Amino acid sequence: MSEAAPVLKPEATIGILGGGQLGRMLALAAARLGFKCHVLAPSPDAPAFDVVHRVTAADYTDAEALDRFAQDVDVVTYEFENVPAETATFLAARVPVLPDPQILATTQDRLKEKTFVTGLGIGTAAFADVGAPEALAPALARLGKPAILKTRRFGYDGKGHATINNGTDPAAAWREVGGQPCILEAYVPFEREVSVVAARGRDGSVACFDVTENEHRDHILKISRVPAGIPEATADRARRIATTIAQTFDYIGVLAVEMFVLREGGALLVNEIAPRVHNSGHWTIDGASVSQFEQHIRAVAGWPLGKPVRLGRRVEMTNLIGSEVEDYRDWLAVPGAAVHLYGKTAVRPGRKMGHVTRVFAD
Ligand SMILES: Nc1ncnc2c1ncn2[C@@H]1O[C@H](COP(=O)(O)OP(=O)(O)O)[C@@H](O)[C@H]1O
Ligand SMILES: [Mg+2]
C-alpha cells in the first residue's frame, strides 16, 4: 500500500484505528504538525476521542462505519495491533493503510512472530507450538522448566501467560490461559530487558531512538530508563536487529522490538515486536528532539523523519498504573517532572492511567 500513499499536506486527515492512550498521543503529535485526526474505536469513551477532530465509535467489523471512515481520511494507521486483519484489508481497498496490514498477520501471532524472527537469524527464547493440551508434555520435556505458556494471540501486559514450574500442573496452566492455541517458551534468565523504538520512512531510511531499559512489575512496564545500562556494542546490535526487522517488513512508521539481554556475554534475544508506537518510547515526548509519535506521523504522512537527539544525559519514564494515578498531584510538584494523564475515568488494577517523564541534565 505504501506506493499508493500520497505525501500529505498539513491540513490532511489521518485516520487512526484504536482509541487508547497511544492514539491520543499520536493525535496530539499530529495536531502539532497541522494534521487533523479521525479516530475509529469501539469504546464510546476512548481516551483518544477527547483530542481529535472527528470520532467514530464503532466496532472494527462495522463495514458501513469503516466505509464512511475511509472516505473521510487521507491515510489510515493504527495504535492497536489486534485490529482484525479483515478490517485492515477492507480499509486498504479504499485508502492507503500504513504500515502494511500484512505485517499484522505476523505480529498478531506469537508463533508466526518468533518463526519470522528466527528465520532472520535473530535469537529468541526456545519455543514450541502447543496447539492442543497433548502437545504440552512433549514441549516441556524439550524446553525444560521453568517455561512460560502464552496464548498465540491477543496477549498484552502479561495477560494470557502462565508460568510452569516444577510444582505446576500443566493441565491447570492450559486452563489458566483459556485453553487456546499457545506457544511454550523456555524461561530466559535475562540480566535486563531493553527495547528499540525505530521509525522507518517512505524512503526506506531508519531512525532508532536510544536503546531503552525496561523494568516490569507483574508483567507490566513500570519504568523505562535511557540510556540502557549496556555496552555501546550491545546497543549497536540491538539497533541493528530492529533495523533488520523494519527493513524486512518494508515497514512504514514506528515499531518497537522488545529484547532480553542475557547475563553471559550480553547476547540479545527478541521477545516481541510491536507494530506501533510503544510504551517504552513515551520518554521521547519530553526527552528527545522528536517524539516516537511525531516520527510515526511523519512516516505515514510521507514526510522526512527527524533525527532524534536525546535531551539530557538520562531520562526516566514511570507509568502510573491503576490507583497510582491518584498521586498525580505529588508528581506535579516534582522538579523537572512532566506529567501525562490519559483521561481514563475508570481506575482498574493494572490499567495504564498516565505516565511521568523526568529528564536529568547531569
Ligand atoms: N520467555 C521468557 N522468559 C522470561 N521472562 C519472560 C519471558 N517471556 C515474557 N517474560 C516476561 O513477561 C513480560 C511480558 O511478556 P511479553 O511476551 O512481552 O508479553 P506481553 O504481550 O504481555 O507484553 C516480559 O517483558 C518479561 O518480563
Ligand atoms: Mg511485551
Side-chain angles (χ1 to χ4, degrees):
M1 270 293 114
S2 54
E3 306 79 49
V7 172
L8 301 187
K9 296 246 167 54
E11 64 274 18
T13 301
I14 296 174
I16 301 174
L17 296 171
Q21 64 268 22
L22 302 179
R24 181 179 171 106
M25 290 184 273
L26 277 171
L28 291 170
R32 216 180 69 163
L33 297 177
F35 295 112
K36 292 181 169 47
C37 287
H38 182 163
V39 168
L40 184 145
S43 162
D45 55 1
F49 284 0
D50 298 345
V51 303
V52 294
H53 183 64
R54 234 192 294 284
V55 308
T56 298
D59 204 82
Y60 294 120
T61 54
D62 182 340
E64 216 178 292
L66 288 174
D67 201 40
R68 267 183 279 120
F69 175 70
Q71 283 177 40
D72 185 51
V73 301
D74 297 292
V75 66
V76 170
T77 189
Y78 15 76
E79 62 104 53
F80 174 66
E81 69 271 43
N82 286 317
V83 170
E86 310 79 70
T87 304
T89 312
F90 180 94
L91 288 170
R94 290 159 176 78
V95 62
V97 179
L98 297 172
D100 193 314
Q102 286 178 14
I103 295 161
L104 296 182
T106 305
T107 57
Q108 281 177 354
D109 180 332
R110 292 185 194 277
L111 181 63
K112 286 191 185 147
E113 182 176 67
K114 289 216 157 55
T115 306
F116 165 76
V117 171
T118 54
L120 296 175
I122 299 167
T124 67
F127 64 96
D129 178 5
V130 179
E134 311 80 72
L136 190 48
L140 279 167
R142 181 158 77 78
L143 300 182
K145 293 177 195 170
I148 305 180
L149 189 65
K150 298 181 182 176
T151 56
R152 280 174 60 171
R153 297 169 64 85
F154 303 121
Y156 73 99
D157 289 347
K159 291 179 179 65
H161 289 196
T163 304
I164 303 179
N165 288 304
N166 279 327
T168 314
D169 171 14
W174 177 259
R175 280 195 301 276
E176 195 183 324
V177 299
Q180 304 168 53
C182 282
I183 65 167
L184 187 73
E185 284 181 27
Y187 180 83
V188 177
F190 57 83
E191 182 192 70
R192 57 186 95 225
E193 291 189 74
V194 299
S195 57
V196 176
V197 174
R200 186 168 177 277
R202 295 245 198 105
D203 61 357
S205 64
V206 174
C208 295
F209 287 97
D210 293 315
V211 181
T212 304
E213 181 162 340
N214 302 314
E215 183 182 323
H216 293 81
R217 288 191 203 148
D218 305 322
H219 301 273
I220 303 172
L221 182 65
K222 181 57 195 167
I223 300 176
S224 285
R225 295 183 178 88
V226 200
I230 53 175
E232 198 41 47
T234 311
D236 244 14
R237 270 190 287 126
R239 284 189 292 261
R240 276 208 301 277
I241 287 171
T243 302
T244 300
I245 290 171
Q247 298 288 23
T248 308
F249 276 143
D250 199 11
Y251 197 88
I252 307 293
V254 165
L255 61 69
V257 183
E258 300 176 5
M259 303 174 208
F260 298 126
V261 186
L262 296 192
R263 286 201 189 92
E264 287 86 33
L268 293 166
L269 298 181
V270 167
N271 174 40
E272 263 197 310
I273 304 168
R276 55 168 168 76
V277 289
H278 192 256
N279 196 169
S280 69
H282 290 3
W283 66 269
T284 60
I285 300 176
D286 305 294
S289 56
V290 190
S291 75
Q292 63 165 343
F293 302 100
E294 179 172 337
Q295 287 289 63
H296 186 77
I297 296 296
R298 286 188 187 210
V300 301
W303 288 19
L305 296 179
K307 300 219 175 341
V309 174
R310 187 173 77 240
L311 309 175
R313 272 175 62 88
R314 193 162 80 70
V315 185
E316 190 169 300
M317 188 283 316
T318 305
N319 271 337
L320 303 178
I321 298 169
S323 61
E324 288 168 0
V325 72
E326 286 151 18
D327 300 335
Y328 73 90
R329 288 184 150 272
D330 298 337
W331 282 109
L332 289 172
V334 172
V339 178
H340 299 250
L341 302 174
Y342 305 149
K344 296 180 182 177
T345 39
V347 179
R348 285 192 294 272
R351 192 171 197 211
K352 290 171 178 168
M353 304 298 293
H355 72 266
V356 180
T357 305
R358 281 178 294 167
V359 178
F360 298 93
D362 49 4

